Amino acid sequence: MARLKKFLLEHRKKTLLALLIVICVVASLLIWRRSTNVKKDVPPEVINIFSFDGTKRAERLRLFDSNGKIAFDFSCEMFCSLSQITAVWNIERPIKFPASRPNMNAMVSSIASLRAVRIIPLDKLAVEQYQRLLEEYGLDDAAKDTLTLEMTLRDGQGTYRLRLGKKTALDSFMYAMASGPGVNSKNVYIVPEIIARPFREKLDYWRNKEIF
């Protein structure tokens, strides 16, 4: 009898342990399923802002300073597909001069592949709240430090703009808005701050220094 009781007790412990293991596995699966079940109305956290394909060809690229004036104006001469890294560019303003191909193509590539780490949709907000958030992000019309990049494509494929506002709480990111064919101009994007680098460069950076 004592052996039977001992056997039943050990068997009961093993049964309870196995049941606990099953419960833990099921709970883990439910948590994983909930975490991967993204709602349709929640924007993806990392997306390309501009959906350029291999057929897009650049014609003009302009950098506007914080006063809304053109700081640099570039024109693409040849091999202007956005998928190319050998495009030939010229400076049209502030002087006319061949542009640095590596530096220009690096900038164009960074624009074409620019991704947002977060999207803040503002299209359903009331006008007052919309304007208040734009002011908070440094993207309202009265903002003094806003920088704008504008790229016009060939063959009537449209003009795309990227407007950069304030830095976020993390200095390596900043607020931005974008416009152009297929782009929601009411969204605010959080993008890497490095996209603002071209605005910090001087004329010497953009000049072609190759010796023919």
Side-chain angles (χ1 to χ4, degrees):
M1 182 65 69
R3 289 182 178 179
L4 179 60
K5 288 183 178 180
K6 184 178 180 181
F7 172 79
L8 292 175
L9 183 60
E10 290 179 353
H11 182 71
R12 185 178 180 182
K13 288 181 179 179
K14 291 180 180 179
T15 302
L16 289 174
L17 180 60
L19 183 60
L20 286 173
I21 292 173
V22 171
I23 292 174
C24 289
V25 171
V26 172
S28 299
L29 288 173
L30 289 174
I31 293 172
W32 174 82
R33 185 175 181 181
R34 179 175 293 182
S35 66
T36 57
N37 186 23
V38 180
K39 296 181 180 179
K40 292 182 179 180
D41 59 345
V42 177
E45 289 300 306
V46 179
I47 68 159
N48 287 325
I49 296 179
F50 303 114
S51 299
F52 295 134
D53 56 39
T55 66
K56 305 295 185 184
R57 298 190 303 148
E59 179 177 15
R60 207 87 174 189
L61 198 153
R62 296 181 176 93
L63 300 178
F64 294 82
D65 62 21
S66 57
N67 296 316
K69 297 180 179 180
I70 297 177
F72 290 98
D73 185 1
F74 307 97
S75 64
C76 189
E77 182 178 341
M78 62 179 68
F79 310 122
C80 299
S81 171
L82 297 182
S83 62
Q84 295 283 343
I85 58 173
T86 57
V88 178
W89 289 83
N90 294 312
I91 303 173
E92 301 293 339
R93 190 171 178 177
I95 64 170
K96 287 185 175 292
F97 202 87
S100 166
R101 292 171 68 175
N103 292 341
M104 284 300 304
N105 288 310
M107 175 171 62
V108 173
S109 178
S110 67
I111 298 167
S113 61
L114 179 62
R115 292 187 172 191
V117 297
R118 186 184 171 196
I119 303 173
I120 306 173
L122 304 182
D123 51 344
K124 296 181 180 180
L125 299 180
V127 175
E128 295 80 5
Q129 188 178 6
Y130 175 79
Q131 292 297 333
R132 180 178 60 80
L133 287 176
L134 287 187
E135 183 177 354
E136 179 182 336
Y137 300 146
L139 293 166
D140 59 309
D141 293 336
K144 297 181 179 180
D145 298 325
T146 303
L147 302 171
T148 303
L149 183 151
E150 178 183 279
M151 183 162 61
T152 301
L153 304 184
R154 296 193 174 197
D155 306 320
Q157 294 179 321
T159 296
Y160 294 80
R161 293 180 182 87
L162 181 69
R163 196 164 180 232
L164 303 176
K166 294 179 179 178
K167 290 184 179 181
T168 66
L170 296 174
D171 282 347
S172 55
F173 294 94
M174 62 194 313
Y175 298 104
M177 295 187 81
S179 63
V183 180
N184 189 337
S185 61
K186 294 293 186 180
N187 283 342
V188 170
Y189 302 92
I190 295 181
V191 298
E193 193 272 340
I194 195 173
I195 195 64
R197 178 184 173 183
F199 295 94
R200 297 192 290 266
E201 303 297 349
K202 305 300 182 184
L203 177 60
D204 188 60
Y205 176 83
W206 299 112
R207 291 174 59 248
N208 184 5
K209 302 176 183 65
E210 294 179 359
I211 300 176
F212 297 95

